[in-house]
Amino acid sequence: MPDLPVWLLLHFLLAAAATQAARAYALRRRLLDQPGERRSHTVATPRGGGIAVVLSVLLAALWLAMLAAGKDRMLFGSFAIGLALVAGIGWWDDHRPLSPWLRLAVQAIAASILGWGLYQAGTGPWPALTALVMALVLVNVWNFMDGIDGIASSQAAIAASAYFWVLNGPWAALAASLLAACLGFLPFNFPKARIFLGDVGSGALGYTLAALLAVSLQTSSLAWPLLLLPLAVFLVDAGFTLISRMLAGERWWTPHVTHVYQQAAFRFGHVRVTGAYFLLGAVTLMLMLLLSRASLQSALMILPGCGLVLLALWLGARKGLKI
């Protein structure tokens, strides 16, 4: 594990500097998200700032791979390749919109590479398959939920903090690099966005969190349901919004503004909504920490209980917002 304060400062500064460079590049290339009926912002805003987070995490992964040996080196290499694929197709899409099915195909390849890396590391087929599924899920959840200022990067920072706490050695260092990179990017995206993550950033956040979750499931002493708690806020909003759109016969894969956080932002503003989601995420993080010694049986009740509370809040918000 590198010296933690130096490691955090390095990735914070790298992400901040790279975000500034990405903003200048986006303005020069006219890579702007325009306001519209399927957008939550009201002014044209540069996109693609998430390349800064990708750069920071990818450099961390490559450095840690060089320091690692054997199975860890292979797993870090698999993660780095998958991250480059997810970020690469997102970067391309930020420049020229692509078919959602092409993006999904590339994401599936990246998820398979992560699963293969875990399998080669000796985890067995089921953990590898779990990593593959979680990578596909979280890449798209973070893409769905990246719609207002600061929400995606702040939730990723909460989850990165959780996995830093439960992991050890080089994987804890990777979680720390993600946390620092999110904090380096956030001042450019919140409280008033000067640049958006773009698909390059939202997908990379989800993919990195999936890898950290997958390794945590294999190495942490915590009961596995607790490791899902820091992701629960996004999983509930994204998951149940997706289900509701499917049941309504809508084209669920197309952009929309029917998430609770999007509709709430129209009424209350981005800062308040991102702050509310941050508080909910912080509560799930604290629950994970406070209940870290809980047995598997207890954890199997805690996770659904937390999910039901979040679902009740989601349903109440939808009713109040008349979605």
Side-chain angles (χ1 to χ4, degrees):
M1 176 79 178
D3 182 73
L4 183 58
V6 174
W7 183 257
L8 289 170
L9 180 61
L10 174 66
H11 287 282
F12 175 86
L13 294 175
L14 175 60
T19 303
Q20 182 63 51
R23 186 173 186 275
Y25 170 83
L27 289 171
R28 186 168 63 251
R29 293 290 301 271
R30 303 297 296 171
L31 299 178
L32 303 175
D33 275 346
Q34 300 292 339
E37 62 179 10
R38 294 183 176 181
R39 303 285 185 177
S40 299
H41 59 284
T42 56
V43 296
T45 306
R47 63 178 178 267
I51 190 66
V53 178
V54 174
L55 177 64
S56 181
V57 174
L58 191 57
L59 287 176
L62 294 174
W63 175 255
L64 293 167
M66 288 192 297
L67 296 179
K71 295 177 180 179
D72 259 348
R73 174 172 291 181
M74 179 181 295
L75 185 49
F76 270 115
S78 299
F79 165 74
I81 293 170
L83 179 63
L85 284 173
V86 170
I89 196 68
W91 183 246
W92 187 359
D93 191 56
D94 285 333
H95 284 73
R96 188 182 69 184
L98 302 173
S99 160
W101 307 114
L102 174 60
R103 295 201 311 269
L104 185 62
V106 173
Q107 292 163 5
I109 292 170
S112 299
I113 291 171
L114 177 62
W116 177 85
L118 277 165
Y119 182 76
Q120 291 298 311
T123 62
W126 288 112
L129 181 60
T130 299
L132 187 158
V133 172
M134 289 307 301
L136 272 176
V137 169
L138 292 183
V139 164
N140 286 286
V141 163
W142 248 261
N143 183 266
F144 294 155
M145 298 296 291
D146 179 31
I148 65 172
D149 300 351
I151 194 168
S153 47
S154 61
Q155 289 294 313
I158 288 172
S161 300
Y163 298 131
F164 169 74
W165 185 78
V166 302
L167 288 166
N168 295 303
W171 286 98
L174 188 73
S177 72
L178 177 60
L179 169 60
C182 288
L183 295 179
F185 170 78
L186 259 172
F188 296 87
N189 187 238
F190 185 83
K192 183 67 175 177
R194 291 181 284 151
I195 190 168
F196 295 147
L197 278 169
D199 286 341
V200 62
S202 59
L205 289 179
Y207 190 82
T208 304
L209 291 173
L212 294 172
L213 171 61
V215 175
S216 297
L217 288 169
Q218 294 305 301
T219 61
S220 172
S221 61
L222 270 69
W224 67 262
L226 299 178
L227 297 172
L228 296 174
L229 284 176
L231 308 171
V233 174
F234 264 25
L235 288 175
V236 167
D237 195 344
F240 284 99
T241 300
L242 181 62
I243 291 170
S244 68
R245 296 194 76 210
M246 287 179 171
L247 292 176
E250 299 176 8
R251 292 165 59 88
W252 54 267
W253 59 89
T254 59
H256 63 97
V257 287
T258 58
H259 285 285
V260 162
Y261 80 90
Q262 291 170 314
Q263 290 296 310
F266 286 134
R267 181 176 298 184
F268 303 110
H270 291 213
V271 173
R272 289 183 179 180
V273 176
T274 295
Y277 272 67
F278 182 84
L279 288 175
L280 286 173
V283 168
T284 63
L285 172 61
M286 292 304 299
L287 278 175
M288 190 194 81
L289 299 180
L290 292 172
L291 301 171
S292 60
R293 297 182 182 275
S295 65
L296 177 59
Q297 291 79 5
S298 298
L300 286 170
M301 293 185 289
I302 292 165
L303 179 62
C306 182
L308 286 173
V309 171
L310 291 172
L311 176 57
L313 291 172
W314 182 83
L315 289 170
R318 279 178 65 88
K319 182 177 180 181
L321 294 166
K322 296 181 173 60
I323 300 177

